[in-house]
Amino acid sequence: MSGFENYQREAADIERALLIQMTALGIEWTDEAAVAALAREALGSSPSQVQALLRDPDRRLRAKGEMFALSVLMLRLMAESATVGVHTHGGPAWKAFGSALLRAGGGDGAQ
């Protein structure tokens, strides 16, 4: 992600991926408790644990790994767009997961 990026398109792509993985996990973005539990688990996972999840033959574990990897992409996209003065965020699933990540990490969850 560098140069002339379409940040909103990238955010929309991540939003779609979040929804796909949440569906695979049986989680609705409106289920605050389930999203919060997933966020806590994401923040507690090391890169090697995420890599292991992504290679796991169990679809649910791979979906969890994808969610954790998507959280990194979300943060990178927001940070990069902020360096050029663009406030970037996705739709409701992004906001729900992002807010849960912030709360789990000690942030205020405002988006």
Side-chain angles (χ1 to χ4, degrees), residues 36-46 49-50 64 67-69 71 97 101:
L38 188 63
R40 285 190 301 274
E41 193 174 347
L43 291 176
S45 297
S46 70
Q49 289 170 320
V50 174
K64 208 175 261 197
M67 284 294 297
F68 299 170
S71 67
F97 190 48
L101 288 166

Side-chain angles (χ1 to χ4, degrees), residues 22-39:
M22 285 180 173
T23 298
L25 290 168
I27 296 173
E28 294 287 331
W29 64 264
T30 56
D31 183 342
E32 290 182 29
V35 174
L38 188 63

Side-chain angles (χ1 to χ4, degrees), residues 52-96:
L53 288 170
L54 291 170
R55 291 188 304 269
D56 198 287
D58 183 302
R59 174 65 187 123
R60 284 185 51 85
L61 293 176
R62 281 195 320 272
K64 208 175 261 197
E66 289 285 341
M67 284 294 297
F68 299 170
L70 288 167
S71 67
V72 173
L73 289 177
M74 290 167 61
L75 294 173
R76 285 185 184 165
L77 182 61
M78 289 187 295
E80 182 179 315
S81 66
T83 65
V84 294
V86 176
H87 177 75
T88 301
H89 59 80
W94 170 303
K95 290 176 186 174

